[in-house]
Amino acid sequence: MNERRTRRHDSHWLILAIGFALALDPTRAAFAAEGAVLATAGQLEREARALEVLKAPAVQRATAELERTYLADARGKTPSGAATARRAAESTAAAAAYAVVNDDPDRPVVFWGVNAPHQWFGMALPRAGYGIENPDNAYRHFHVDGASRYEIRGRFNSPGPAELHFVVMDMPPSDKSIQVEGGEMLATLRSDAMAIAADGSFTITLDHDPANGRSNHMQLPRDGHFPVHVRDLFTDWSTQNPVTLEIHRIAGPPAAPEPGLALLVERAAARLAQMGPFWLAYNNQHLYSRPANTIPVPRVRPGGRGLSASGHFDLASDEALIVTLDRLGAGSLGFQLADPWGVAYEYVERTSSLNQTQAAANPDGSFTFVISASDPGVHNWLDPDGQTAGILVLRWQILPASVAVEKGIREVRVVKLAALAKTLPTGTRFVTAEERAKQRAERARKYSRRLGP
């Protein structure tokens, strides 16, 4: 994994290498490697372009400015906020660059744009995350416009994700009112409502007309262009595979010229100046307005996305936060930590997130998690990478028709680490240092499946 996560890159060489490889084997132009579902040729070409954008002085200045904005905020005056401000600014900058290079409704590409640092196909990609991204998701996106018609052609690769979810959103966050979901959902489609052939294949249509009997249709507003977000939800990182997806523009006005590097740099700097303050205000309004170390009753999420609850933790170095959850019959239960700015803490080689297949259940089927800066030797430790503060998010997805929402959170309490063992439920699984190392190694190996063989 260390080799995969090297930060050095030479994207000029990569662009030439991708083009050469595809010229040698044009039958594999759609995918760069057998089994690497997320590594399409379009993905790699636009990642290389994004790396060039990130190196530009204007984007570097915008990243530094966002770091200063974070440090000037109340959270920036805290040890954890100050320690993670640069990391969060760089992660948001990478996400902004990815968004800009793939903001092309005339030549759409299904793009994996929120992920952990990784190396593949000669490229070292940085951390790209923001808005409390969920490590159980493979996040992909593309852009469409209401004047055109599109087809998404896909195939489930067995075993597929627990859920595949498409959402057409309004334009990226700006100075609009700050909604709890970060924007307005214009259309949604989930895999449990899709028509899927016996071989796992499907076609989704997107245009401004009503469905008129068409299955798998998403209606677009007639005017404007819009991001479409795709989430593959993995409950078992060791077996579940991303869905193969391609987007095709099949009708529309003449395509606009592709933007050059200078314009992409200008747009990325502007996007970063927009995204960072938006999510800072979002966190201050929706999370930090509540007391630390508390979690409200879960809320129902729009678009059939289950329930969620969020809060923030702030602990002394000798304290732990204990949280016990009821699964509520959910097909997916996930608990994750993010830094004070909403960027996920390290989740490939550390347990900053756990879902119901990764965590150990209590004898009654509930789950108890422990948050602390240092390792308490509990299997269900949510690891904040040595920090004492940050954001926490809980998600229940794929739920029964009726659930008792108020029963989702059974207990939230702060205890001294010295008293932790006698406070936890009977049957709590503890781990040795060797077992923790094995848990981390297995986690990293399972995550690497997303990168392909």
Side-chain angles (χ1 to χ4, degrees), residues 255-275:
E258 287 194 76
L261 179 61
L263 183 54
L264 290 175
V265 167
E266 179 183 335
R267 290 176 178 175
R271 180 69 64 89
L272 182 56
Q274 178 188 65
M275 287 173 62

Side-chain angles (χ1 to χ4, degrees), residues 80 129 133 149 157 172 245 248 285 305 352 406 423 431 441:
S80 293
E133 76 274 22
R149 298 181 184 275
N157 301 298
L245 292 174
H248 300 273
Q285 178 174 322
R305 295 176 59 202
S352 69
E406 69 282 359
T423 308
V431 296

Side-chain angles (χ1 to χ4, degrees), residues 122-141:
M123 268 190 305
L125 286 309
R127 184 184 319 279
Y130 66 99
I132 322 174
E133 76 274 22
N134 181 1
D136 288 332
N137 285 335
Y139 291 93
R140 288 179 280 181
H141 75 277

Side-chain angles (χ1 to χ4, degrees), residues 311-335:
H312 63 106
F313 65 96
D314 189 359
L315 301 166
S317 59
D318 65 343
E319 291 179 332
L321 182 65
I322 301 174
V323 181
T324 298
L325 306 178
D326 193 301
R327 186 169 172 177
L328 298 177
S332 172
L333 172 65
F335 195 166

